Amino acid sequence: MASLVINGGRRLSGSIVAQGSKNSALPILAATYLVNGKSVIHNCPRLSDVESTLKILENLGCRIERRGNDLVVDSTSAFGYEIPENLMREMRSSVIFLGAILGKTKKAVISTPGGCEIGLRPIDLHLFAMRKLGVEINEEHGRLECSIPKKLKGAKITLTFPSVGATENAILAASVAEGTTTIINAAREPEISDLCDFLNKCGAKISGAGESIIIIEGVKKLEATEHAVICDRIVASTYLFAGAVTGGDISVKNTVPAHLGAVLPVLEEAGCEISIRCSEIRLKAPTKLHRIDKLITQPYPGFPTDAQAPIMTLATIAEGTSVIVENIFESRFKHVPELLRMGAKIRTEGRVAVIDGVERLYGASVVSPDLRGGSALVLAGLCANGVTEVSEIKHIDRGYENFETNLCMINADIVRTEKDYGNRKEK
Ligand code: EPZ
Protein backbone atom coordinates (compact mmCIF):
# COMPACT_ATOMS: atom_id res chain seq x y z
CA MET A 1 0.00 0.00 0.00
CA ALA A 2 1.52 3.32 -1.02
CA SER A 3 1.72 6.42 1.13
CA LEU A 4 3.25 9.87 0.92
CA VAL A 5 5.85 10.83 3.54
CA ILE A 6 6.37 14.56 4.00
CA ASN A 7 9.05 16.37 5.96
CA GLY A 8 7.33 19.66 6.66
CA GLY A 9 8.47 23.22 7.14
CA ARG A 10 10.14 23.96 3.80
CA ARG A 11 9.21 27.18 2.01
CA LEU A 12 8.04 26.33 -1.52
CA SER A 13 9.50 28.31 -4.44
CA GLY A 14 9.75 28.03 -8.21
CA SER A 15 7.22 27.19 -10.87
CA ILE A 16 5.22 24.23 -12.08
CA VAL A 17 2.93 23.49 -15.02
CA ALA A 18 -0.66 22.63 -14.15
CA GLN A 19 -2.03 19.37 -15.62
CA GLY A 20 -5.04 18.92 -17.91
CA SER A 21 -8.43 18.91 -16.20
CA LYS A 22 -9.77 15.59 -14.90
CA ASN A 23 -13.34 16.91 -14.83
CA SER A 24 -13.03 18.03 -18.43
CA ALA A 25 -11.21 14.96 -19.76
CA LEU A 26 -13.83 12.50 -18.42
CA PRO A 27 -16.90 13.94 -20.23
CA ILE A 28 -14.86 14.62 -23.38
CA LEU A 29 -13.65 11.01 -23.41
CA ALA A 30 -17.29 9.90 -23.02
CA ALA A 31 -18.12 12.14 -26.02
CA THR A 32 -15.45 10.38 -28.14
CA TYR A 33 -17.74 7.35 -28.03
CA LEU A 34 -20.60 9.36 -29.54
CA VAL A 35 -18.64 10.93 -32.40
CA ASN A 36 -17.74 8.89 -35.44
CA GLY A 37 -14.07 8.08 -36.11
CA LYS A 38 -10.72 8.73 -34.44
CA SER A 39 -10.62 11.51 -31.82
CA VAL A 40 -7.27 12.88 -30.68
CA ILE A 41 -7.42 14.34 -27.17
CA HIS A 42 -4.37 16.32 -26.06
CA ASN A 43 -3.29 17.33 -22.53
CA CYS A 44 -5.15 14.38 -20.99
CA PRO A 45 -3.90 13.83 -17.41
CA ARG A 46 -2.56 10.42 -16.39
CA LEU A 47 -4.92 9.57 -13.57
CA SER A 48 -6.67 6.44 -12.31
CA ASP A 49 -10.07 8.01 -13.16
CA VAL A 50 -8.92 8.48 -16.75
CA GLU A 51 -7.75 4.84 -16.83
CA SER A 52 -11.19 3.74 -15.56
CA THR A 53 -12.82 5.78 -18.35
CA LEU A 54 -10.56 4.17 -20.95
CA LYS A 55 -11.55 0.72 -19.65
CA ILE A 56 -15.22 1.64 -20.21
CA LEU A 57 -14.46 2.90 -23.74
CA GLU A 58 -12.63 -0.35 -24.55
CA ASN A 59 -15.51 -2.31 -23.06
CA LEU A 60 -17.86 -0.46 -25.43
CA GLY A 61 -15.65 -1.48 -28.36
CA CYS A 62 -13.33 1.51 -28.83
CA ARG A 63 -9.67 1.20 -29.76
CA ILE A 64 -7.35 3.37 -27.70
CA GLU A 65 -3.80 4.55 -28.21
CA ARG A 66 -1.86 6.61 -25.70
CA ARG A 67 1.05 8.86 -26.64
CA GLY A 68 2.19 10.52 -23.44
CA ASN A 69 -0.63 12.90 -22.42
CA ASP A 70 -2.35 12.50 -25.80
CA LEU A 71 -5.02 9.87 -26.40
CA VAL A 72 -6.39 8.56 -29.68
CA VAL A 73 -9.86 7.04 -29.33
CA ASP A 74 -11.27 5.21 -32.35
CA SER A 75 -15.01 4.58 -31.95
CA THR A 76 -15.67 3.66 -35.60
CA SER A 77 -16.62 0.07 -34.89
CA ALA A 78 -17.76 0.49 -31.29
CA PHE A 79 -21.45 -0.16 -30.64
CA GLY A 80 -21.52 -1.51 -27.09
CA TYR A 81 -24.33 -0.19 -24.85
CA GLU A 82 -23.67 -1.82 -21.50
CA ILE A 83 -21.27 -0.77 -18.70
CA PRO A 84 -20.52 -3.65 -16.32
CA GLU A 85 -21.19 -3.01 -12.66
CA ASN A 86 -17.56 -3.34 -11.60
CA LEU A 87 -16.56 -0.48 -13.93
CA MET A 88 -19.51 1.66 -12.76
CA ARG A 89 -18.44 1.09 -9.16
CA GLU A 90 -14.84 1.97 -9.95
CA MET A 91 -15.79 5.54 -10.77
CA ARG A 92 -19.04 7.27 -9.93
CA SER A 93 -18.89 9.68 -12.81
CA SER A 94 -19.18 6.82 -15.33
CA VAL A 95 -22.84 7.82 -15.32
CA ILE A 96 -21.91 10.59 -17.79
CA PHE A 97 -21.59 7.87 -20.46
CA LEU A 98 -25.39 7.48 -20.42
CA GLY A 99 -26.08 10.38 -22.80
CA ALA A 100 -23.28 9.32 -25.17
CA ILE A 101 -24.37 5.67 -25.31
CA LEU A 102 -28.05 6.58 -25.84
CA GLY A 103 -27.08 9.12 -28.50
CA LYS A 104 -25.16 6.42 -30.41
CA THR A 105 -26.96 3.11 -29.86
CA LYS A 106 -30.45 4.25 -28.76
CA LYS A 107 -30.23 1.92 -25.75
CA ALA A 108 -28.12 1.62 -22.63
CA VAL A 109 -27.71 -0.66 -19.62
CA ILE A 110 -25.80 0.65 -16.63
CA SER A 111 -25.97 0.06 -12.88
CA THR A 112 -26.91 2.92 -10.58
CA PRO A 113 -23.62 4.43 -9.45
CA GLY A 114 -24.55 4.70 -5.77
CA GLY A 115 -23.04 7.14 -3.31
CA CYS A 116 -19.38 7.87 -2.49
CA GLU A 117 -17.26 9.32 0.31
CA ILE A 118 -18.59 12.86 -0.15
CA GLY A 119 -22.32 12.26 -0.32
CA LEU A 120 -25.35 10.27 -1.50
CA ARG A 121 -25.02 11.68 -5.01
CA PRO A 122 -28.41 10.78 -6.52
CA ILE A 123 -28.83 10.81 -10.33
CA ASP A 124 -32.50 11.88 -10.44
CA LEU A 125 -31.64 14.96 -12.54
CA HIS A 126 -29.74 12.83 -15.08
CA LEU A 127 -32.73 10.51 -15.47
CA PHE A 128 -35.15 13.44 -15.57
CA ALA A 129 -33.21 14.96 -18.48
CA MET A 130 -33.05 11.64 -20.36
CA ARG A 131 -36.78 11.10 -19.94
CA LYS A 132 -37.44 14.61 -21.26
CA LEU A 133 -35.54 13.65 -24.44
CA GLY A 134 -37.76 10.62 -24.96
CA VAL A 135 -35.82 7.89 -23.14
CA GLU A 136 -37.73 5.15 -21.34
CA ILE A 137 -35.95 3.99 -18.19
CA ASN A 138 -36.60 0.79 -16.33
CA GLU A 139 -34.94 0.89 -12.92
CA GLU A 140 -34.72 -2.49 -11.17
CA HIS A 141 -32.30 -4.21 -8.79
CA GLY A 142 -29.75 -1.38 -9.09
CA ARG A 143 -29.77 -1.61 -12.87
CA LEU A 144 -30.97 1.00 -15.34
CA GLU A 145 -32.27 -0.38 -18.64
CA CYS A 146 -32.79 2.54 -21.00
CA SER A 147 -34.35 2.50 -24.46
CA ILE A 148 -35.74 4.98 -26.97
CA PRO A 149 -39.06 3.72 -28.41
CA LYS A 150 -39.11 6.40 -31.12
CA LYS A 151 -36.31 8.95 -31.46
CA LEU A 152 -34.32 11.19 -29.16
CA LYS A 153 -36.32 14.37 -29.43
CA GLY A 154 -35.24 17.88 -28.48
CA ALA A 155 -37.02 19.28 -25.40
CA LYS A 156 -36.98 22.00 -22.76
CA ILE A 157 -35.10 20.70 -19.71
CA THR A 158 -35.32 22.81 -16.56
CA LEU A 159 -32.89 21.57 -13.91
CA THR A 160 -33.86 22.22 -10.29
CA PHE A 161 -30.11 22.35 -9.49
CA PRO A 162 -27.28 23.22 -11.95
CA SER A 163 -25.83 19.71 -11.75
CA VAL A 164 -22.58 19.36 -13.71
CA GLY A 165 -23.13 15.71 -14.60
CA ALA A 166 -26.80 16.06 -15.53
CA THR A 167 -25.98 19.04 -17.77
CA GLU A 168 -23.21 17.03 -19.48
CA ASN A 169 -25.50 14.02 -20.05
CA ALA A 170 -28.25 16.22 -21.48
CA ILE A 171 -25.78 17.95 -23.82
CA LEU A 172 -24.37 14.64 -25.08
CA ALA A 173 -27.79 13.12 -25.88
CA ALA A 174 -29.36 16.33 -27.19
CA SER A 175 -26.47 17.01 -29.58
CA VAL A 176 -27.76 14.15 -31.80
CA ALA A 177 -31.48 14.41 -30.98
CA GLU A 178 -34.10 15.55 -33.47
CA GLY A 179 -34.89 19.25 -33.03
CA THR A 180 -33.92 21.82 -30.41
CA THR A 181 -33.14 21.30 -26.74
CA THR A 182 -33.03 24.14 -24.24
CA ILE A 183 -31.38 23.45 -20.89
CA ILE A 184 -32.50 25.96 -18.25
CA ASN A 185 -30.45 26.38 -15.05
CA ALA A 186 -27.59 24.51 -16.68
CA ALA A 187 -24.24 24.12 -14.91
CA ARG A 188 -21.78 26.86 -15.98
CA GLU A 189 -18.50 25.18 -15.06
CA PRO A 190 -15.56 25.69 -17.49
CA GLU A 191 -15.57 21.91 -18.00
CA ILE A 192 -19.04 22.22 -19.57
CA SER A 193 -17.73 24.82 -22.01
CA ASP A 194 -14.77 22.60 -22.86
CA LEU A 195 -17.10 19.67 -23.63
CA CYS A 196 -19.23 21.92 -25.84
CA ASP A 197 -16.13 23.27 -27.62
CA PHE A 198 -15.12 19.70 -28.43
CA LEU A 199 -18.62 18.72 -29.63
CA ASN A 200 -18.99 21.89 -31.72
CA LYS A 201 -15.68 21.07 -33.41
CA CYS A 202 -17.21 17.65 -34.21
CA GLY A 203 -20.15 19.38 -35.93
CA ALA A 204 -22.60 19.90 -33.05
CA LYS A 205 -24.66 23.08 -32.80
CA ILE A 206 -24.46 24.16 -29.19
CA SER A 207 -24.74 27.77 -28.01
CA GLY A 208 -24.73 29.34 -24.56
CA ALA A 209 -22.08 27.05 -23.00
CA GLY A 210 -20.91 28.62 -19.73
CA GLU A 211 -24.27 30.35 -19.33
CA SER A 212 -27.29 29.05 -17.41
CA ILE A 213 -29.29 28.61 -20.61
CA ILE A 214 -27.79 26.29 -23.22
CA ILE A 215 -29.44 25.72 -26.62
CA ILE A 216 -28.63 22.63 -28.70
CA GLU A 217 -29.79 22.09 -32.28
CA GLY A 218 -29.57 18.35 -32.76
CA VAL A 219 -27.55 17.09 -35.76
CA LYS A 220 -27.58 13.71 -37.53
CA LYS A 221 -23.88 12.94 -37.16
CA LEU A 222 -20.75 14.07 -35.34
CA GLU A 223 -17.31 13.58 -36.89
CA ALA A 224 -14.24 13.00 -34.69
CA THR A 225 -11.65 15.74 -34.35
CA GLU A 226 -8.65 16.89 -32.31
CA HIS A 227 -8.94 18.80 -29.05
CA ALA A 228 -6.78 19.91 -26.13
CA VAL A 229 -8.29 19.61 -22.65
CA ILE A 230 -8.25 22.81 -20.55
CA CYS A 231 -6.06 23.24 -17.45
CA ASP A 232 -7.27 21.72 -14.19
CA ARG A 233 -8.39 24.76 -12.14
CA ILE A 234 -8.68 22.71 -8.92
CA VAL A 235 -5.15 21.32 -9.24
CA ALA A 236 -3.82 24.81 -10.06
CA SER A 237 -5.62 26.12 -6.95
CA THR A 238 -4.15 23.33 -4.81
CA TYR A 239 -0.58 24.23 -5.84
CA LEU A 240 -1.25 27.91 -5.07
CA PHE A 241 -2.55 26.90 -1.63
CA ALA A 242 0.65 24.87 -1.14
CA GLY A 243 2.66 28.03 -1.79
CA ALA A 244 0.46 29.98 0.64
CA VAL A 245 0.66 27.52 3.59
CA THR A 246 4.46 27.23 3.35
CA GLY A 247 5.11 30.99 3.19
CA GLY A 248 6.33 30.43 -0.36
CA ASP A 249 6.71 32.22 -3.67
CA ILE A 250 5.52 30.05 -6.53
CA SER A 251 4.13 30.27 -10.05
CA VAL A 252 1.66 27.93 -11.70
CA LYS A 253 1.84 27.89 -15.48
CA ASN A 254 -0.54 26.84 -18.24
CA THR A 255 -3.59 27.95 -16.23
CA VAL A 256 -6.72 29.87 -17.29
CA PRO A 257 -6.70 32.56 -14.56
CA ALA A 258 -10.34 33.50 -15.22
CA HIS A 259 -11.36 29.97 -14.16
CA LEU A 260 -9.92 30.72 -10.69
CA GLY A 261 -12.03 33.88 -10.41
CA ALA A 262 -13.59 32.83 -7.09
CA VAL A 263 -10.38 31.36 -5.64
CA LEU A 264 -7.81 34.15 -6.14
CA PRO A 265 -9.73 36.78 -4.09
CA VAL A 266 -9.81 34.36 -1.13
CA LEU A 267 -6.03 33.99 -1.36
CA GLU A 268 -5.73 37.79 -1.41
CA GLU A 269 -8.08 37.98 1.61
CA ALA A 270 -5.62 35.64 3.37
CA GLY A 271 -2.85 38.14 2.64
CA CYS A 272 -1.24 36.55 -0.44
CA GLU A 273 0.08 38.70 -3.26
CA ILE A 274 -1.27 37.42 -6.57
CA SER A 275 0.06 38.48 -9.97
CA ILE A 276 -1.08 37.20 -13.34
CA ARG A 277 0.81 37.18 -16.63
CA CYS A 278 -1.06 35.46 -19.48
CA SER A 279 -1.57 31.86 -18.34
CA GLU A 280 0.81 32.14 -15.38
CA ILE A 281 -0.34 32.86 -11.83
CA ARG A 282 2.28 33.87 -9.26
CA LEU A 283 1.63 33.77 -5.52
CA LYS A 284 3.78 35.34 -2.82
CA ALA A 285 2.68 34.36 0.65
CA PRO A 286 2.62 36.73 3.63
CA THR A 287 4.67 36.00 6.77
CA LYS A 288 1.42 35.16 8.56
CA LEU A 289 -1.79 34.18 6.77
CA HIS A 290 -5.00 36.05 7.66
CA ARG A 291 -8.29 34.34 8.46
CA ILE A 292 -10.99 33.83 5.79
CA ASP A 293 -14.14 35.63 6.89
CA LYS A 294 -16.86 33.35 5.51
CA LEU A 295 -16.40 31.03 2.56
CA ILE A 296 -19.43 29.32 1.02
CA THR A 297 -19.01 26.71 -1.70
CA GLN A 298 -21.29 27.23 -4.70
CA PRO A 299 -21.77 26.14 -8.30
CA TYR A 300 -19.49 27.97 -10.77
CA PRO A 301 -18.69 30.88 -10.84
CA GLY A 302 -18.90 30.58 -7.03
CA PHE A 303 -16.14 29.08 -4.86
CA PRO A 304 -15.63 25.44 -5.95
CA THR A 305 -16.52 22.68 -3.52
CA ASP A 306 -13.48 20.76 -4.83
CA ALA A 307 -11.17 23.44 -3.38
CA GLN A 308 -12.92 23.46 0.01
CA ALA A 309 -10.77 20.83 1.73
CA PRO A 310 -7.37 22.17 0.58
CA ILE A 311 -8.25 25.75 1.51
CA MET A 312 -9.36 24.55 4.95
CA THR A 313 -5.72 23.60 5.59
CA LEU A 314 -4.81 27.22 4.92
CA ALA A 315 -7.40 28.38 7.47
CA THR A 316 -5.99 26.02 10.14
CA ILE A 317 -2.76 28.08 10.34
CA ALA A 318 -4.21 31.54 9.60
CA GLU A 319 -4.45 34.25 12.24
CA GLY A 320 -8.01 34.30 13.68
CA THR A 321 -11.20 32.36 13.07
CA SER A 322 -12.41 31.34 9.60
CA VAL A 323 -15.82 29.97 8.64
CA ILE A 324 -16.41 27.55 5.76
CA VAL A 325 -19.86 26.42 4.61
CA GLU A 326 -20.01 23.35 2.35
CA ASN A 327 -23.13 23.97 0.29
CA ILE A 328 -22.83 21.33 -2.42
CA PHE A 329 -22.15 17.92 -0.80
CA GLU A 330 -23.56 16.68 2.49
CA SER A 331 -20.52 14.85 3.84
CA ARG A 332 -17.43 16.63 2.60
CA PHE A 333 -15.69 17.30 5.92
CA LYS A 334 -14.09 13.87 6.27
CA HIS A 335 -10.62 15.46 6.30
CA VAL A 336 -11.45 17.33 9.54
CA PRO A 337 -10.72 14.49 12.03
CA GLU A 338 -7.37 13.92 10.27
CA LEU A 339 -6.46 17.62 10.49
CA LEU A 340 -7.38 17.54 14.19
CA ARG A 341 -4.78 14.77 14.59
CA MET A 342 -2.23 17.30 13.31
CA GLY A 343 -3.17 19.87 15.94
CA ALA A 344 -5.78 21.89 14.01
CA LYS A 345 -8.70 23.49 15.88
CA ILE A 346 -11.90 22.88 13.90
CA ARG A 347 -15.53 22.57 15.02
CA THR A 348 -18.16 21.35 12.60
CA GLU A 349 -21.92 21.51 12.77
CA GLY A 350 -23.67 19.99 9.77
CA ARG A 351 -22.29 21.83 6.71
CA VAL A 352 -20.53 24.57 8.70
CA ALA A 353 -16.91 24.42 9.87
CA VAL A 354 -15.42 26.99 12.24
CA ILE A 355 -11.62 26.99 12.13
CA ASP A 356 -9.55 28.70 14.83
CA GLY A 357 -6.08 29.26 13.42
CA VAL A 358 -3.15 27.74 15.36
CA GLU A 359 0.53 28.73 15.35
CA ARG A 360 1.66 25.44 13.78
CA LEU A 361 0.46 21.97 12.77
CA TYR A 362 2.37 18.83 13.81
CA GLY A 363 3.36 15.87 11.66
CA ALA A 364 1.26 12.69 12.17
CA SER A 365 0.02 9.57 10.38
CA VAL A 366 -3.18 10.43 8.59
CA VAL A 367 -5.53 8.68 6.16
CA SER A 368 -6.89 10.26 2.93
CA PRO A 369 -10.69 10.08 3.18
CA ASP A 370 -11.30 11.13 -0.44
CA LEU A 371 -9.60 12.89 -3.37
CA ARG A 372 -9.65 16.53 -2.20
CA GLY A 373 -9.46 15.63 1.48
CA GLY A 374 -6.25 13.76 0.64
CA SER A 375 -4.74 16.82 -1.02
CA ALA A 376 -5.63 18.88 2.08
CA LEU A 377 -3.63 16.46 4.25
CA VAL A 378 -0.61 16.69 1.95
CA LEU A 379 -0.74 20.50 2.23
CA ALA A 380 -0.98 20.15 6.02
CA GLY A 381 2.10 17.92 5.97
CA LEU A 382 4.03 20.51 3.92
CA CYS A 383 3.57 23.19 6.59
CA ALA A 384 3.63 20.96 9.68
CA ASN A 385 6.45 20.59 12.15
CA GLY A 386 8.02 17.15 11.66
CA VAL A 387 7.06 14.18 9.49
CA THR A 388 3.59 13.39 8.17
CA GLU A 389 2.59 10.12 6.55
CA VAL A 390 -0.51 10.24 4.35
CA SER A 391 -1.95 6.82 3.48
CA GLU A 392 -4.83 5.64 1.21
CA ILE A 393 -3.33 7.84 -1.48
CA LYS A 394 -5.23 5.95 -4.18
CA HIS A 395 -7.79 8.69 -3.65
CA ILE A 396 -5.21 11.37 -4.47
CA ASP A 397 -4.05 9.50 -7.58
CA ARG A 398 -7.56 9.78 -8.94
CA GLY A 399 -7.11 13.51 -9.51
CA TYR A 400 -3.49 14.68 -9.09
CA GLU A 401 -0.92 13.67 -11.74
CA ASN A 402 2.65 13.21 -10.41
CA PHE A 403 1.68 15.10 -7.26
CA GLU A 404 4.81 14.45 -5.23
CA THR A 405 7.16 14.94 -8.22
CA ASN A 406 5.64 18.33 -8.96
CA LEU A 407 5.81 19.39 -5.31
CA CYS A 408 9.47 18.35 -5.15
CA MET A 409 10.10 20.59 -8.16
CA ILE A 410 9.09 23.56 -6.01
CA ASN A 411 11.27 22.50 -3.08
CA ALA A 412 8.97 20.23 -1.07
CA ASP A 413 10.43 17.26 0.83
CA ILE A 414 7.92 14.53 -0.07
CA VAL A 415 8.35 10.92 -1.17
CA ARG A 416 6.04 8.09 -2.14
CA THR A 417 6.68 4.86 -0.18
CA GLU A 418 5.28 1.36 -0.56
CA LYS A 419 4.61 -0.05 2.90
CA ASP A 420 3.13 -3.27 4.21
CA TYR A 421 0.25 -2.29 6.50
CA GLY A 422 -0.24 -5.89 7.57
CA ASN A 423 -0.50 -5.24 11.31
CA ARG A 424 -1.85 -1.70 11.58
CA LYS A 425 -5.66 -1.24 11.36
CA GLU A 426 -6.66 1.64 9.06
CA LYS A 427 -9.62 3.82 10.06
C1 EPZ B 1 -18.89 17.13 -10.69
O1 EPZ B 1 -19.57 16.06 -10.04
C2 EPZ B 1 -17.40 16.90 -10.42
N1 EPZ B 1 -17.01 15.61 -10.96
C3 EPZ B 1 -17.14 16.93 -8.92
O2 EPZ B 1 -15.73 16.83 -8.72
C4 EPZ B 1 -17.59 18.26 -8.37
O3 EPZ B 1 -17.47 18.26 -6.98
C5 EPZ B 1 -19.07 18.51 -8.73
O4 EPZ B 1 -19.26 18.40 -10.15
C6 EPZ B 1 -19.54 19.89 -8.31
O5 EPZ B 1 -18.75 20.87 -8.85
C7 EPZ B 1 -16.75 15.51 -12.28
O6 EPZ B 1 -16.87 16.43 -13.05
C8 EPZ B 1 -16.31 14.17 -12.78
P1 EPZ B 1 -23.20 17.63 -9.56
P2 EPZ B 1 -21.13 15.79 -10.31
O7 EPZ B 1 -24.08 16.74 -10.36
O8 EPZ B 1 -21.42 16.01 -11.74
C9 EPZ B 1 -26.76 16.92 -6.43
C10 EPZ B 1 -13.73 16.07 -7.74
O9 EPZ B 1 -13.29 16.19 -6.58
N2 EPZ B 1 -27.40 16.15 -7.53
O10 EPZ B 1 -23.03 19.03 -9.99
O11 EPZ B 1 -21.46 14.49 -9.72
C11 EPZ B 1 -25.54 16.17 -5.87
O12 EPZ B 1 -25.90 15.22 -4.93
C12 EPZ B 1 -15.22 15.73 -7.97
O13 EPZ B 1 -13.05 16.22 -8.75
C13 EPZ B 1 -28.69 15.69 -7.35
O14 EPZ B 1 -29.31 15.90 -6.31
O15 EPZ B 1 -21.77 16.96 -9.42
C14 EPZ B 1 -24.72 17.29 -5.29
O16 EPZ B 1 -25.17 17.59 -4.02
C15 EPZ B 1 -15.94 15.38 -6.72
N3 EPZ B 1 -29.25 14.96 -8.36
C16 EPZ B 1 -24.99 18.43 -6.25
O17 EPZ B 1 -26.19 18.12 -6.95
C17 EPZ B 1 -28.59 14.70 -9.54
O18 EPZ B 1 -29.14 14.03 -10.42
C18 EPZ B 1 -23.86 18.67 -7.25
O19 EPZ B 1 -23.68 17.55 -8.04
C19 EPZ B 1 -27.30 15.17 -9.69
C20 EPZ B 1 -26.71 15.91 -8.67
Side-chain angles (χ1 to χ4, degrees), residues 22-23 121-125 163-165 306 328 332 372:
K22 165 180 82 79
N23 292 347
R121 306 188 76 174
I123 56 166
D124 54 315
L125 295 172
S163 151
V164 173
D306 297 345
I328 307 292
R332 204 166 201 182
R372 307 301 171 184

Side-chain angles (χ1 to χ4, degrees), residues 173-394:
S175 58
V176 290
E178 192 183 85
T180 307
T181 296
T182 306
I183 307 176
I184 295 176
N185 198 23
R188 301 168 57 191
E189 273 67 4
E191 296 77 27
I192 302 276
S193 303
D194 206 20
L195 171 64
C196 294
D197 288 349
F198 171 68
L199 287 168
N200 280 341
K201 276 197 241 174
C202 298
K205 295 189 176 140
I206 306 170
S207 54
E211 305 298 322
S212 46
I213 297 188
I214 297 179
I215 297 177
I216 305 148
E217 299 284 338
V219 296
K220 289 224 169 352
K221 229 163 162 238
L222 297 168
E223 289 303 332
T225 184
E226 213 160 324
H227 182 77
V229 170
I230 56 172
C231 151
D232 195 309
R233 60 196 169 98
I234 305 299
V235 171
S237 304
T238 308
Y239 287 130
L240 291 171
F241 300 162
V245 297
T246 59
D249 179 348
I250 67 157
S251 288
V252 183
K253 295 183 172 167
N254 183 34
T255 70
V256 182
H259 293 169
L260 284 80
V263 171
L264 300 179
V266 179
L267 284 168
E268 288 181 329
E269 183 190 353
C272 300
E273 203 187 303
I274 302 285
S275 50
I276 295 172
R277 210 168 35 146
C278 305
S279 63
E280 185 171 334
I281 304 174
R282 181 172 177 189
L283 173 143
K284 277 196 215 160
T287 351
K288 184 72 190 162
L289 289 161
H290 309 158
R291 71 190 191 95
I292 300 164
D293 187 23
K294 189 172 181 189
L295 185 149
I296 303 175
T297 65
Q298 288 165 322
Y300 192 88
F303 189 91
T305 170
D306 297 345
Q308 176 260 103
I311 205 152
M312 189 183 282
T313 301
L314 185 153
T316 62
I317 55 165
E319 198 144 38
T321 301
S322 307
V323 176
I324 294 180
V325 182
E326 174 49 58
N327 222 5
I328 307 292
F329 290 106
E330 63 276 15
S331 44
R332 204 166 201 182
F333 282 153
K334 293 218 170 102
H335 44 284
V336 170
E338 300 303 309
L339 288 171
L340 295 180
R341 287 171 63 87
M342 300 181 74
K345 289 207 167 29
I346 310 170
R347 289 158 287 146
T348 59
E349 183 75 40
R351 294 180 179 226
V352 180
V354 178
I355 305 107
D356 296 315
V358 296
E359 198 47 43
R360 289 235 59 142
L361 296 178
Y362 298 97
S365 291
V366 289
V367 181
S368 313
D370 53 55
L371 164 57
R372 307 301 171 184
S375 72
L377 299 177
V378 170
L379 265 55
L382 291 173
C383 61
N385 224 354
V387 175
T388 298
E389 184 166 358
V390 183
S391 58
E392 290 295 320
I393 56 171
K394 62 176 190 289

Side-chain angles (χ1 to χ4, degrees), residues 45-65:
R46 286 173 168 255
L47 303 167
S48 53
D49 273 10
V50 169
E51 295 314 315
S52 304
T53 303
L54 298 182
K55 274 193 231 162
I56 293 175
L57 284 169
E58 279 169 338
N59 189 269
L60 293 169
C62 294
R63 275 186 301 117
I64 309 225
E65 210 189 309

